[in-house]
Amino acid sequence: GAVVSQHPSRVICKSGTSVKIECRSLDFQATTMFWYRQFPKQSLMLMATSNEGSKATYEQGVEKDKFLINHASLTLSTLTVTSAHPEDSSFYICSARDAGTYEQYFGPGTRLTVT
Amino acid sequence: AQTVTQSQPEMSVQEAETVTLSCTYDTSENNYYLFWYKQPPSRQMILVIRQEAYKQQNATENRFSVNFQKAAKSFSLKISDSQLGDTAMYFCAFMKPLSRNTPLVFGKGTRLSVIA
């Protein structure tokens, strides 16, 4: 089946620094990728939708200057958390939609801890 | 806006027994898709089953089946012969007619524990 990878799986960074999370579709092309945030024991909250080659669309309440999303190719999207603070600590999940079938596949997630 | 409601925050079931997780949704769309996802402790989201609203026949995948009641906007998941590996969070999700930017709308989830 289709595979979506995320890197890193875990990251710890100091407050005020930036961290980049990569999301790759390994065996299919994804015109659209979705970024979610999940707090402990809660559901997935959609942060933004990104299309290859265009600006991401952010959900209401998500700071676009803090969460920078780049979708430069059909297989790679990145989420950069800028000037991270402890409240940005969370589990971030990406999901990629197959350009041909429109099926949606999820990455394994990235646990971000800001100290 | 579409909403998805899962009214059972937690459930438990004995191994080999059957359990049903409930999900209701609200939409004005006529065509749409419904999904059940499983999130085990690894936190990897796994698609369990999907249902197209235009199909009257309930979807089935091995031990997993749904009861789709379009008029009632209900979409429950039945797990038969429960196994320890079924222990996970289960999320019901809704999606409007398919386009490349259509996101999934998730319910709050039901935590299922299968007890030996």
Side-chain angles (χ1 to χ4, degrees):
Chain A
V3 176
V4 176
S5 70
Q6 270 185 252
H7 179 80
S9 57
R10 292 174 179 263
V11 57
I12 301 173
C13 69
K14 292 187 182 298
S15 186
T17 63
S18 296
V19 61
K20 180 185 287 187
I21 302 170
E22 290 188 350
C23 177
R24 293 181 185 272
S25 57
L26 297 186
D27 47 7
F28 65 97
Q29 293 185 332
T31 53
T32 305
M33 289 188 176
F34 304 90
W35 287 94
Y36 296 86
R37 184 173 180 176
Q38 186 179 31
F39 291 105
K41 298 187 178 183
Q42 293 191 22
S43 187
L44 282 70
M45 181 188 76
L46 180 66
M47 299 175 65
T49 301
S50 75
N51 291 308
E52 182 263 339
S54 61
K55 290 183 178 180
T57 301
Y58 291 82
E59 294 299 301
Q60 193 172 8
V62 177
E63 298 176 62
K64 61 180 68 176
D65 293 332
K66 165 167 277 295
F67 299 101
L68 299 179
I69 291 172
N70 183 275
H71 192 162
S73 78
L74 287 173
T75 59
L76 173 64
S77 177
T78 60
L79 167 67
T80 302
V81 183
T82 63
S83 187
H85 289 97
E87 57 265 31
D88 299 325
S89 297
S90 191
F91 193 70
Y92 293 88
I93 302 174
C94 76
S95 178
R97 179 157 288 158
D98 187 309
T101 66
Y102 282 179
E103 290 286 345
Q104 189 165 336
Y105 304 96
F106 286 84
T110 296
R111 181 180 303 280
L112 170 64
T113 303
V114 184
T115 60
Chain B
Q2 287 74 23
T3 58
V4 177
T5 302
Q6 294 179 249
S7 59
Q8 306 150 313
E10 294 189 20
M11 294 191 72
S12 61
V13 62
Q14 290 288 132
E15 198 175 6
E17 297 295 309
T18 296
V19 65
T20 299
L21 309 183
S22 66
C23 172
T24 58
Y25 57 94
D26 187 26
T27 184
S28 58
E29 303 282 346
N30 190 45
N31 286 329
Y32 47 87
Y33 298 80
L34 295 163
F35 306 83
W36 278 98
Y37 280 90
K38 168 184 178 181
Q39 188 180 42
S42 68
R43 300 191 80 170
Q44 171 73 59
M45 294 289 284
I46 301 167
L47 176 63
V48 175
I49 201 165
R50 62 180 281 170
Q51 173 84 40
E52 290 88 345
Y54 62 86
K55 291 186 177 179
Q56 293 189 340
Q57 186 170 8
N58 290 323
T60 299
E61 287 288 341
N62 300 313
R63 298 184 294 108
F64 299 88
S65 61
V66 297
N67 183 3
F68 173 48
Q69 302 288 329
K70 190 173 184 180
K73 297 180 181 176
S74 170
F75 182 61
S76 61
L77 174 70
K78 185 171 82 170
I79 305 174
S80 304
D81 186 25
S82 297
Q83 300 176 0
L84 295 178
D86 295 333
T87 293
M89 281 290 289
Y90 287 82
F91 294 101
C92 179
F94 170 97
M95 188 169 69
K96 291 194 298 184
L98 209 55
S99 74
R100 70 173 191 168
N101 285 350
T102 307
L104 290 166
V105 177
F106 287 95
K108 291 187 175 182
T110 296
R111 182 173 301 279
L112 176 68
S113 298
V114 180
I115 302 165

